Amino acid sequence: MDMPPELRDLIMQLKAAGMDIDENNPQEVMQVLMKMQMMSAKKKKIEMVKKEDALPGRSTALDVSNTHFVLKTPMREPWPAGFKVCVFANGCFWGSEKGIWRLPGGGIHSTAVGYAAGYTPNPTYEEACSGQTGHTEAVQVVFDPEKISLVDILRWFWEAHDPTQGMGQGNDRGTQYRSGLYYFDDEQKQLFESSKTAYEKALKAKGKGQGDEITTEIRAAADFPDSKVFYYGEDYHQQYLAKPGARPYCSAEPQVVSLPAFEEWAPASLLEKHAPKLSQDFWAAHGPTPHCVIRSPNEAIKWP
């Protein structure tokens, strides 16, 4: 068959590499080319896009409701004095957000889903899913440290997914589903890094996790322009699993392995300040298990 010289050279290279191709069979050649295109597209999706190749995005933030659908609190700052913010990513953000807003004690002030740690300002869901923004699906949590500890939120984060899966979680694959923790101060950094080391040891001791080591990225919000690490997602994604007609989907793969006791891994200077508020009895009764957020009511867990 007639073909451009470049294509013929490619076919010859593939044959030399051991691929069985009949260059005179147009249908066979087309099948090989389609397969190569699919493999190339898949590879691009699981590799981080370069900054210069990322989508341009937009200067205007996406619209979200003023009020949290479940908690009935504000969705945007200003936040009450003394409240703290953390941002994390551990797979599809629908279930990630629900798990956090259900934590007991009234310490969770607000939650929101969005896109974090990428290059594209104010991306859309479709843009994030293309793999061309550098963002991962993420959750922003605003909490009262007098009522709930960052360590409690951190424990839910680790135990609610398999942090060894690299660019994906469960059935969801791509850079937009990678695991991540993004810190706003040195104390958060210390807690994130120390807990990562502790949880990796716990997973290995139990022989759990798809990979050999935790792949969660830990980065400073200050790494991003104007410390803007998180962009709000579309309003229909906010508190999605609590809304009428929601599709009951969550790709997270909890390994049912406990984060070791805080005293075993806490930096000495933070031991008292960040002591967890939720007891071991709570985690024994309500710790993350496969599909737990899908099967749970929308209201906060009543505890004790």
Side-chain angles (χ1 to χ4, degrees):
M1 63 178 279
D2 292 330
M3 64 177 75
E6 297 84 358
L7 178 55
R8 183 171 295 279
D9 288 344
L10 175 61
I11 297 297
M12 292 301 105
Q13 290 175 30
L14 293 173
K15 291 184 69 173
M19 186 175 288
D20 185 18
I21 309 171
D22 181 359
E23 66 270 24
N24 296 311
N25 185 329
Q27 185 175 2
E28 191 170 319
V29 171
M30 287 301 298
Q31 287 175 344
V32 170
L33 291 176
M34 289 177 64
K35 184 176 181 180
M36 290 182 65
Q37 286 179 334
M38 291 175 64
M39 291 174 64
S40 176
K42 185 176 181 180
K43 183 178 180 181
K44 286 182 180 178
K45 195 171 183 181
I46 62 174
E47 291 181 347
M48 280 293 290
V49 66
K50 295 179 180 178
K51 182 177 181 179
E52 59 269 25
D53 296 330
L55 296 173
R58 56 203 50 78
S59 60
T60 304
L62 304 184
D63 289 331
V64 297
S65 172
N66 293 326
T67 306
H68 194 285
F69 188 78
V70 177
L71 301 177
K72 309 305 179 187
T73 51
M75 284 288 290
R76 292 188 183 272
E77 55 187 340
W79 311 119
F83 283 29
K84 299 293 185 180
V85 176
C86 71
V87 172
F88 69 83
N90 61 352
C92 175
F93 51 20
W94 293 345
S96 299
E97 183 190 22
K98 182 176 177 180
I100 295 298
W101 86 55
R102 296 194 68 245
L103 291 176
I108 303 299
H109 178 69
S110 188
T111 61
V113 300
Y115 314 106
Y119 304 114
T120 302
N122 300 299
T124 65
Y125 178 69
E126 291 75 19
E127 288 170 345
C129 285
S130 75
Q132 299 302 298
T133 68
H135 286 291
T136 183
E137 291 193 9
V139 178
Q140 174 183 266
V141 186
V142 182
F143 64 101
D144 180 354
E146 295 296 320
K147 294 181 178 179
I148 193 166
S149 170
L150 175 62
V151 172
D152 296 316
I153 297 169
L154 197 51
R155 179 165 180 173
W156 187 276
F157 162 80
W158 287 122
E159 296 185 17
H161 76 309
D162 177 1
T164 72
Q165 292 190 14
M167 296 299 183
Q169 184 65 203
N171 293 326
D172 292 328
R173 309 304 301 172
T175 57
Q176 73 272 26
Y177 296 111
R178 69 187 187 275
S179 176
L181 288 165
Y182 308 99
Y183 57 87
F184 292 88
D185 56 47
D186 188 61
E187 290 186 1
Q188 286 192 357
K189 178 184 180 182
Q190 291 184 62
L191 292 170
F192 291 172
E193 292 178 343
S194 296
S195 65
K196 176 183 177 180
T197 299
Y199 199 57
E200 186 171 89
K201 290 179 180 177
L203 288 172
K204 288 183 177 180
K206 296 286 187 180
K208 294 296 188 72
Q210 189 179 102
D212 294 329
E213 59 185 25
I214 286 179
T215 56
T216 302
E217 67 177 6
I218 297 177
R219 298 185 62 186
D223 287 348
F224 302 88
D226 301 319
S227 295
K228 187 72 172 177
V229 66
F230 175 87
Y231 294 91
Y232 283 83
E234 293 84 347
D235 192 59
Y236 72 90
H237 283 303
Q238 306 299 333
Q239 300 87 59
Y240 174 83
L241 290 177
K243 293 177 177 176
R247 181 165 66 98
Y249 177 79
C250 179
S251 64
E253 297 192 338
Q255 297 299 290
V256 197
V257 173
S258 298
L259 178 67
F262 184 52
E263 296 78 11
E264 296 180 20
W265 57 266
S269 61
L270 304 180
L271 190 57
E272 183 177 350
K273 181 178 180 180
H274 290 282
K277 310 287 188 186
L278 297 176
S279 68
Q280 184 56 40
D281 288 342
F282 167 81
W283 294 101
H286 297 287
T289 57
H291 312 299
C292 64
V293 294
I294 298 299
R295 298 167 179 161
S296 300
N298 296 322
E299 296 74 27
I301 298 168
K302 294 187 181 350
W303 185 265

